Every structure is written in C-alpha cells, then in structure tokens.
Amino acid sequence: MVQIRMPASAGRGYYDKKIAEGKSPRAMTRSLKRHLSDHVWRIMLADERRSCRQREKESDRAA
C-alpha cells in the first residue's frame, strides 16, 4: 500500500500500468502484493544459495 501512495516508486509504476490494462483497483492491489512477494521470494532464494556456497567454501578451506 505504501508503494501505491509513492508516485515515483516501482510499485506505483506497476500499479498504473495494470490499471491502464483495465484491471480493477482491488485486483491490482492483489496483483501488486503477489508481485512484491515473488520478488522477496527470489531474494530469499538467492541469499540461501549464496550462504550455501559460502559454507561449502569454508568447509573446503577447513579440509
């Protein structure tokens, strides 16, 4: 909801684009939430992969 209120945010741009495509504001809010949660999920997966690689490097050094 904060991103929708901020005129220069990426979320507001996404919201405006979908509204122009004919989506209702309520459906667009759901879509924006899903878009943001997908983004956070990708970041979490990348962090997990990075931490696994670091653990592998540390175990290789210890060996």
Side-chain angles (χ1 to χ4, degrees), residues 8-51:
S9 72
R12 181 62 194 212
Y14 183 80
Y15 181 85
D16 290 339
K17 182 178 101 177
K18 293 296 182 177
I19 291 292
E21 291 175 3
K23 302 244 184 208
S24 71
R26 194 170 195 178
M28 190 41 241
T29 301
R30 282 192 305 270
S31 180
L32 178 60
K33 288 178 185 178
R34 188 170 35 258
H35 179 74
L36 293 172
S37 68
D38 290 347
H39 181 72
V40 170
W41 179 251
R42 286 189 303 269
I43 291 171
M44 289 172 58
L45 288 177
D47 286 346
E48 179 64 23
R49 283 188 213 113
R50 191 171 25 257
S51 67

Side-chain angles (χ1 to χ4, degrees), residues 48 50-60:
E48 179 64 23
R50 191 171 25 257
S51 67
C52 284
R53 283 194 304 262
Q54 284 180 337
R55 278 185 255 138
E56 287 174 0
K57 286 180 182 179
E58 289 172 1
S59 66
D60 288 346

